[in-house]
Every structure is written in C-alpha cells, then in structure tokens.
Amino acid sequence: QVQLVESGGGLVQAGGSLRLSCAASGRTFSSYAMGWFRQAPGKEREFVGAVSASGRNTYYADSVKGRFTISRDNAKNAGYLQMTSLKPEDTAVYYCTASGTIATMPTAPYWGQGTQVTVSS
C-alpha cells in the first residue's frame, strides 16, 4: 500500500509558475513509477505525465510538454510537478499517482486526494 498526499496547489496568474509536491508513505515508493493526472470541471480526467521508478525516464502529454517537468526524490519519498507558462486551461484538480510502470499509469492503483490549481487570465 502507498499513500500519496499532494500539496502546493493554489491560484496563479496566466504565465506564472507553480510547483506541486507529492509526499509518499507506505511501501517502497522508489519501486513505483509516479504520475500526475488532472481533472477540470465537466471534463474527463487527463493524463499529465509520469516518471519512472528510477527517475531516469519521463513522459508527458502533448498539452504540457515543454512547460511542465516531473521529477522525484526517492530519498525523500517525494515527487514533484513543476508547472511553468501556466494557462487558464491548466485549471484543474491535480492528482498524484503511483503504479508499477509508466505504461500502467492509466490504471494506477494508488491516488492522492488531489490539489486544486486555478490559473486566472
């Protein structure tokens, strides 16, 4: 079992930056790939990106590529989502997830409670 808790959400102006954190506890976090999803009101959940267990490999959705960076610090049992050049359409609840591999992230067994990010125009 892995418990995930997101933090760092808030209100930011368009063009600004925000860094989300994901604190993990429970079973060995370093053995899981970590991902981020988001869901805006009235819209389907969207995959944002993921990082492999080692941290060496990352994968991003086209909508955030070049603007968002996912990283992790296994020594701290933590993951991060650095968001830059934010747009109003990035407004959503952001969720941290953990799964065996990046490929299995869409069916990740472990989810955080989510943190709200609001980008004003």
Side-chain angles (χ1 to χ4, degrees):
Q1 194 80 356
V2 176
Q3 292 80 41
L4 303 169
V5 179
E6 304 94 336
S7 61
L11 175 64
V12 63
Q13 289 188 332
S17 300
L18 208 57
R19 187 197 198 203
L20 305 183
S21 298
C22 177
S25 60
R27 300 181 74 176
T28 307
F29 176 64
S30 59
S31 64
Y32 291 90
M34 189 198 76
W36 290 90
F37 286 79
R38 66 185 181 185
Q39 187 163 23
K43 294 189 176 181
E44 292 187 357
R45 185 180 66 196
E46 177 187 17
F47 172 74
V48 174
V51 60
S52 62
S54 67
R56 286 194 292 267
N57 299 306
T58 54
Y59 183 82
Y60 298 95
D62 287 342
S63 58
V64 306
K65 199 173 295 183
R67 299 189 298 122
F68 290 11
T69 302
I70 295 175
S71 62
R72 65 190 296 162
D73 185 340
N74 286 337
K76 295 182 178 179
N77 278 356
Y80 307 99
L81 177 64
Q82 178 68 49
M83 304 183 292
T84 63
S85 301
L86 282 162
K87 307 174 182 179
E89 51 264 44
D90 294 318
T91 295
V93 176
Y94 283 72
Y95 298 92
C96 172
T97 61
S99 189
T101 66
I102 290 180
T104 61
M105 204 59 68
T107 56
Y110 304 113
W111 289 71
Q113 84 290 349
T115 186
Q116 176 71 46
V117 172
T118 303
V119 184
S120 63
S121 57

